Amino acid sequence: DTEVTQTPKHLVMGMTNKKSLKCEQHMGHRAMYWYKQKAKKPPELMFVYSYEKLSINESVPSRFSPECPNSSLLNLHLHALQPEDSALYLCASSQEGGAAYEQYFGPGTRLTVT
Amino acid sequence: GQNIDQPTEMTATEGAIVQINCTYQTSGFNGLFWYQQHAGEAPTFLSYNVLDGLEEKGRFSSFLSRSKGYSYLLLKELQMKDSASYLCAVRDGPGGGNKLTFGTGTQLKVEL
């Protein structure tokens, strides 16, 4: 199984809503990542979890709150978002954050903030 | 920090060979990755180079010169399904948290 799953596929939310994005992998990977991708732009790293601990936060606004309940799951909690936060949110995982292993990406959640 | 450059767009003919270049200037280096991304889909891993030289994988090959800060992805026997964005990504060194930074991507269009 080399699959990273993400739910939901699409999400529309108002600026006052609270929602969560979910990511799951069963490859035994110990590093998990959140990326944000705007149209026709490359993915931009947001957060890295290594062994269930937050190791990198790329100065992401606090309206985005990551959580890693266990080694297979990664959540991204959203609150008070802005329309410019509309993007494709990609989750990825790799065998280990510190080694040169490729990252496997999920299909993404397309988020629209109205 | 990382500065990664790729051509924005390329067009090639089905059955031909195309080379997509990537140059980088980085504060740390721990490997270079190539990913393919079809519109609306997730990036998929194509190749990885950490030492100088050529890595071959079927129709795809990738080359790295660390001294020149240069890589290329070579696609042979192009097929229509190869039309996609090709992303060069550099992994920072341990001092930079081993982060992966993506270039802007090269949109490849394969024509008949």
Side-chain angles (χ1 to χ4, degrees):
Chain A
D1 181 11
T2 58
E3 192 179 22
V4 177
T5 58
Q6 289 186 244
T7 54
K9 287 189 73 172
H10 300 275
L11 178 62
V12 179
M13 60 185 289
M15 290 189 284
T16 58
N17 291 158
K18 282 186 181 181
K19 297 285 184 184
S20 296
L21 308 185
K22 296 186 184 304
C23 174
E24 191 167 2
Q25 57 88 14
H26 295 289
M27 294 178 277
H29 289 174
R30 303 313 299 265
M32 296 186 77
Y33 311 79
W34 280 115
Y35 289 87
K36 173 182 177 180
Q37 187 175 26
K38 303 281 270 185
K40 298 190 186 301
K41 297 288 187 183
E44 293 179 5
L45 183 67
M46 299 175 72
F47 302 104
V48 180
Y49 273 83
S50 183
Y51 293 89
E52 300 162 47
K53 286 185 170 29
L54 183 66
S55 59
I56 295 176
N57 175 344
E58 288 288 275
S59 303
V60 179
S62 59
R63 58 186 184 269
F64 295 90
S65 175
E67 180 197 18
C68 190
N70 60 56
S71 59
S72 299
L73 294 173
L74 186 65
N75 298 322
L76 187 63
H77 303 297
L78 314 173
H79 173 55
L81 294 193
Q82 304 296 310
E84 59 264 28
D85 296 323
S86 298
L88 181 68
Y89 287 84
L90 292 163
C91 173
S93 70
S94 66
Q95 284 192 14
E96 193 214 312
Y101 294 111
E102 67 265 29
Q103 295 180 17
Y104 291 82
F105 283 83
T109 293
R110 189 159 298 283
L111 174 67
T112 303
V113 181
T114 60
Chain B
Q2 314 282 38
N3 185 28
I4 304 170
D5 287 316
Q6 304 178 234
T8 306
E9 294 177 340
M10 297 183 73
T11 301
T13 305
E14 189 179 34
I17 299 172
V18 72
Q19 177 175 312
I20 302 174
N21 296 325
C22 171
T23 58
Y24 63 90
Q25 294 168 307
T26 60
S27 55
F29 180 84
N30 193 17
L32 187 144
F33 296 78
W34 284 95
Y35 281 83
Q36 179 192 61
Q37 187 175 26
H38 286 98
E41 298 182 11
T44 54
F45 169 76
L46 290 178
S47 70
Y48 166 68
N49 296 72
V50 68
L51 299 176
D52 291 351
L54 189 68
E55 293 284 339
E56 296 187 82
K57 211 175 181 181
R59 293 191 299 116
F60 297 86
S61 303
S62 58
F63 172 83
L64 175 68
S65 169
R66 287 172 296 169
S67 63
K68 294 181 180 176
Y70 169 69
S71 174
Y72 67 73
L73 180 69
L74 196 70
L75 291 78
K76 302 175 189 173
E77 301 169 16
L78 280 173
Q79 301 174 9
M80 298 297 288
K81 68 178 182 180
D82 297 328
S83 293
S85 179
Y86 290 85
L87 299 159
C88 169
V90 173
R91 183 184 290 276
D92 207 340
N98 285 294
K99 296 185 306 186
L100 202 59
T101 302
F102 286 85
T104 51
T106 298
Q107 188 65 44
L108 174 66
K109 183 177 179 184
V110 180
E111 299 179 327
L112 289 171

mmCIF file of all heavy atoms in Angstrom, chain B residues 34-55:
data_model
loop_
_atom_site.group_PDB
_atom_site.id
_atom_site.type_symbol
_atom_site.label_atom_id
_atom_site.label_comp_id
_atom_site.label_asym_id
_atom_site.label_seq_id
_atom_site.Cartn_x
_atom_site.Cartn_y
_atom_site.Cartn_z
ATOM 1 N N TRP B 34 12.762 14.923 -8.761
ATOM 2 C CA TRP B 34 11.859 15.329 -9.836
ATOM 3 C C TRP B 34 10.499 14.681 -9.587
ATOM 4 O O TRP B 34 10.414 13.478 -9.299
ATOM 5 C CB TRP B 34 12.383 14.895 -11.202
ATOM 6 C CG TRP B 34 13.505 15.747 -11.716
ATOM 7 C CD1 TRP B 34 14.843 15.520 -11.598
ATOM 8 C CD2 TRP B 34 13.380 16.976 -12.460
ATOM 9 N NE1 TRP B 34 15.553 16.534 -12.212
ATOM 10 C CE2 TRP B 34 14.684 17.430 -12.751
ATOM 11 C CE3 TRP B 34 12.291 17.728 -12.913
ATOM 12 C CZ2 TRP B 34 14.926 18.606 -13.475
ATOM 13 C CZ3 TRP B 34 12.527 18.888 -13.626
ATOM 14 C CH2 TRP B 34 13.826 19.312 -13.897
ATOM 15 N N TYR B 35 9.463 15.513 -9.709
ATOM 16 C CA TYR B 35 8.093 15.042 -9.567
ATOM 17 C C TYR B 35 7.310 15.413 -10.824
ATOM 18 O O TYR B 35 7.584 16.424 -11.476
ATOM 19 C CB TYR B 35 7.407 15.710 -8.363
ATOM 20 C CG TYR B 35 7.774 15.112 -7.029
ATOM 21 C CD1 TYR B 35 8.934 15.490 -6.365
ATOM 22 C CD2 TYR B 35 6.945 14.159 -6.438
ATOM 23 C CE1 TYR B 35 9.259 14.937 -5.136
ATOM 24 C CE2 TYR B 35 7.272 13.608 -5.199
ATOM 25 C CZ TYR B 35 8.430 13.999 -4.567
ATOM 26 O OH TYR B 35 8.759 13.447 -3.352
ATOM 27 N N GLN B 36 6.305 14.601 -11.126
ATOM 28 C CA GLN B 36 5.364 14.881 -12.212
ATOM 29 C C GLN B 36 4.012 15.212 -11.582
ATOM 30 O O GLN B 36 3.587 14.535 -10.632
ATOM 31 C CB GLN B 36 5.215 13.643 -13.107
ATOM 32 C CG GLN B 36 4.244 13.814 -14.258
ATOM 33 C CD GLN B 36 3.933 12.474 -14.928
ATOM 34 O OE1 GLN B 36 3.405 11.552 -14.307
ATOM 35 N NE2 GLN B 36 4.276 12.363 -16.207
ATOM 36 N N GLN B 37 3.368 16.228 -12.112
ATOM 37 C CA GLN B 37 2.046 16.576 -11.596
ATOM 38 C C GLN B 37 1.090 16.874 -12.746
ATOM 39 O O GLN B 37 1.273 17.842 -13.488
ATOM 40 C CB GLN B 37 2.105 17.769 -10.647
ATOM 41 C CG GLN B 37 0.768 18.047 -9.955
ATOM 42 C CD GLN B 37 0.841 19.162 -8.916
ATOM 43 O OE1 GLN B 37 1.690 20.047 -8.999
ATOM 44 N NE2 GLN B 37 -0.053 19.116 -7.927
ATOM 45 N N HIS B 38 0.066 16.028 -12.891
ATOM 46 C CA HIS B 38 -0.991 16.305 -13.847
ATOM 47 C C HIS B 38 -1.967 17.290 -13.223
ATOM 48 O O HIS B 38 -2.109 17.354 -11.998
ATOM 49 C CB HIS B 38 -1.714 15.009 -14.248
ATOM 50 C CG HIS B 38 -0.917 14.145 -15.168
ATOM 51 N ND1 HIS B 38 -0.179 13.062 -14.728
ATOM 52 C CD2 HIS B 38 -0.738 14.204 -16.513
ATOM 53 C CE1 HIS B 38 0.419 12.499 -15.752
ATOM 54 N NE2 HIS B 38 0.100 13.152 -16.853
ATOM 55 N N ALA B 39 -2.625 18.045 -14.078
ATOM 56 C CA ALA B 39 -3.537 19.090 -13.620
ATOM 57 C C ALA B 39 -4.577 18.522 -12.660
ATOM 58 O O ALA B 39 -5.222 17.517 -12.953
ATOM 59 C CB ALA B 39 -4.220 19.752 -14.810
ATOM 60 N N GLY B 40 -4.702 19.133 -11.514
ATOM 61 C CA GLY B 40 -5.698 18.725 -10.536
ATOM 62 C C GLY B 40 -5.340 17.489 -9.740
ATOM 63 O O GLY B 40 -6.171 16.988 -8.967
ATOM 64 N N GLU B 41 -4.127 16.985 -9.930
ATOM 65 C CA GLU B 41 -3.726 15.771 -9.219
ATOM 66 C C GLU B 41 -2.518 16.049 -8.325
ATOM 67 O O GLU B 41 -1.903 17.100 -8.385
ATOM 68 C CB GLU B 41 -3.408 14.655 -10.217
ATOM 69 C CG GLU B 41 -4.602 14.247 -11.062
ATOM 70 C CD GLU B 41 -4.279 13.101 -12.021
ATOM 71 O OE1 GLU B 41 -3.200 12.485 -11.889
ATOM 72 O OE2 GLU B 41 -5.112 12.845 -12.890
ATOM 73 N N ALA B 42 -2.181 15.056 -7.501
ATOM 74 C CA ALA B 42 -1.036 15.192 -6.610
ATOM 75 C C ALA B 42 0.266 14.954 -7.372
ATOM 76 O O ALA B 42 0.293 14.235 -8.367
ATOM 77 C CB ALA B 42 -1.154 14.187 -5.470
ATOM 78 N N PRO B 43 1.360 15.531 -6.921
ATOM 79 C CA PRO B 43 2.669 15.219 -7.517
ATOM 80 C C PRO B 43 3.033 13.752 -7.289
ATOM 81 O O PRO B 43 2.753 13.194 -6.223
ATOM 82 C CB PRO B 43 3.634 16.135 -6.756
ATOM 83 C CG PRO B 43 2.786 17.195 -6.143
ATOM 84 C CD PRO B 43 1.468 16.551 -5.866
ATOM 85 N N THR B 44 3.653 13.140 -8.286
ATOM 86 C CA THR B 44 4.143 11.772 -8.132
ATOM 87 C C THR B 44 5.651 11.757 -8.367
ATOM 88 O O THR B 44 6.153 12.418 -9.274
ATOM 89 C CB THR B 44 3.456 10.795 -9.096
ATOM 90 O OG1 THR B 44 3.602 11.293 -10.425
ATOM 91 C CG2 THR B 44 1.984 10.657 -8.787
ATOM 92 N N PHE B 45 6.342 10.981 -7.559
ATOM 93 C CA PHE B 45 7.792 10.916 -7.580
ATOM 94 C C PHE B 45 8.295 10.282 -8.875
ATOM 95 O O PHE B 45 7.781 9.249 -9.325
ATOM 96 C CB PHE B 45 8.264 10.100 -6.379
ATOM 97 C CG PHE B 45 9.714 9.723 -6.406
ATOM 98 C CD1 PHE B 45 10.688 10.661 -6.103
ATOM 99 C CD2 PHE B 45 10.093 8.431 -6.722
ATOM 100 C CE1 PHE B 45 12.037 10.303 -6.125
ATOM 101 C CE2 PHE B 45 11.435 8.070 -6.742
ATOM 102 C CZ PHE B 45 12.400 9.008 -6.449
ATOM 103 N N LEU B 46 9.313 10.904 -9.493
ATOM 104 C CA LEU B 46 9.930 10.350 -10.691
ATOM 105 C C LEU B 46 11.355 9.877 -10.433
ATOM 106 O O LEU B 46 11.720 8.770 -10.824
ATOM 107 C CB LEU B 46 9.970 11.406 -11.814
ATOM 108 C CG LEU B 46 8.649 11.811 -12.448
ATOM 109 C CD1 LEU B 46 8.888 12.897 -13.482
ATOM 110 C CD2 LEU B 46 7.949 10.622 -13.073
ATOM 111 N N SER B 47 12.175 10.746 -9.812
ATOM 112 C CA SER B 47 13.583 10.380 -9.664
ATOM 113 C C SER B 47 14.235 11.172 -8.548
ATOM 114 O O SER B 47 13.708 12.189 -8.099
ATOM 115 C CB SER B 47 14.342 10.624 -10.966
ATOM 116 O OG SER B 47 14.454 12.017 -11.192
ATOM 117 N N TYR B 48 15.409 10.676 -8.140
ATOM 118 C CA TYR B 48 16.162 11.284 -7.046
ATOM 119 C C TYR B 48 17.648 11.193 -7.375
ATOM 120 O O TYR B 48 18.138 10.130 -7.781
ATOM 121 C CB TYR B 48 15.849 10.542 -5.747
ATOM 122 C CG TYR B 48 16.790 10.837 -4.610
ATOM 123 C CD1 TYR B 48 16.802 12.096 -4.022
ATOM 124 C CD2 TYR B 48 17.649 9.859 -4.114
ATOM 125 C CE1 TYR B 48 17.660 12.373 -2.979
ATOM 126 C CE2 TYR B 48 18.510 10.141 -3.060
ATOM 127 C CZ TYR B 48 18.503 11.395 -2.495
ATOM 128 O OH TYR B 48 19.345 11.664 -1.454
ATOM 129 N N ASN B 49 18.360 12.298 -7.213
ATOM 130 C CA ASN B 49 19.820 12.329 -7.374
ATOM 131 C C ASN B 49 20.427 13.002 -6.160
ATOM 132 O O ASN B 49 19.949 14.068 -5.737
ATOM 133 C CB ASN B 49 20.225 13.152 -8.606
ATOM 134 C CG ASN B 49 19.735 12.565 -9.910
ATOM 135 O OD1 ASN B 49 18.539 12.612 -10.206
ATOM 136 N ND2 ASN B 49 20.642 12.054 -10.702
ATOM 137 N N VAL B 50 21.472 12.390 -5.620
ATOM 138 C CA VAL B 50 22.216 13.048 -4.545
ATOM 139 C C VAL B 50 23.709 13.121 -4.900
ATOM 140 O O VAL B 50 24.419 14.003 -4.431
ATOM 141 C CB VAL B 50 21.994 12.363 -3.184
ATOM 142 C CG1 VAL B 50 22.617 10.978 -3.157
ATOM 143 C CG2 VAL B 50 22.492 13.230 -2.055
ATOM 144 N N LEU B 51 24.156 12.204 -5.769
ATOM 145 C CA LEU B 51 25.527 12.229 -6.258
ATOM 146 C C LEU B 51 25.527 12.665 -7.716
ATOM 147 O O LEU B 51 24.521 12.515 -8.418
ATOM 148 C CB LEU B 51 26.158 10.848 -6.126
ATOM 149 C CG LEU B 51 26.260 10.299 -4.698
ATOM 150 C CD1 LEU B 51 26.807 8.880 -4.727
ATOM 151 C CD2 LEU B 51 27.111 11.194 -3.826
ATOM 152 N N ASP B 52 26.652 13.186 -8.178
ATOM 153 C CA ASP B 52 26.765 13.607 -9.574
ATOM 154 C C ASP B 52 26.575 12.418 -10.505
ATOM 155 O O ASP B 52 27.014 11.304 -10.209
ATOM 156 C CB ASP B 52 28.143 14.220 -9.828
ATOM 157 C CG ASP B 52 28.318 15.552 -9.130
ATOM 158 O OD1 ASP B 52 27.323 16.080 -8.590
ATOM 159 O OD2 ASP B 52 29.448 16.068 -9.107
ATOM 160 N N GLY B 53 25.933 12.687 -11.620
ATOM 161 C CA GLY B 53 25.802 11.650 -12.626
ATOM 162 C C GLY B 53 24.375 11.440 -13.044
ATOM 163 O O GLY B 53 23.477 12.216 -12.717
ATOM 164 N N LEU B 54 24.197 10.373 -13.802
ATOM 165 C CA LEU B 54 22.918 10.075 -14.444
ATOM 166 C C LEU B 54 22.234 8.902 -13.741
ATOM 167 O O LEU B 54 22.858 7.886 -13.480
ATOM 168 C CB LEU B 54 23.169 9.734 -15.916
ATOM 169 C CG LEU B 54 21.966 9.588 -16.821
ATOM 170 C CD1 LEU B 54 21.276 10.943 -17.016
ATOM 171 C CD2 LEU B 54 22.388 9.013 -18.170
ATOM 172 N N GLU B 55 20.945 9.080 -13.463
ATOM 173 C CA GLU B 55 20.107 7.999 -12.945
ATOM 174 C C GLU B 55 19.071 7.685 -14.001
ATOM 175 O O GLU B 55 18.351 8.579 -14.447
ATOM 176 C CB GLU B 55 19.397 8.431 -11.653
ATOM 177 C CG GLU B 55 20.323 8.665 -10.474
ATOM 178 C CD GLU B 55 20.814 7.379 -9.855
ATOM 179 O OE1 GLU B 55 20.156 6.332 -10.047
ATOM 180 O OE2 GLU B 55 21.861 7.419 -9.179
#
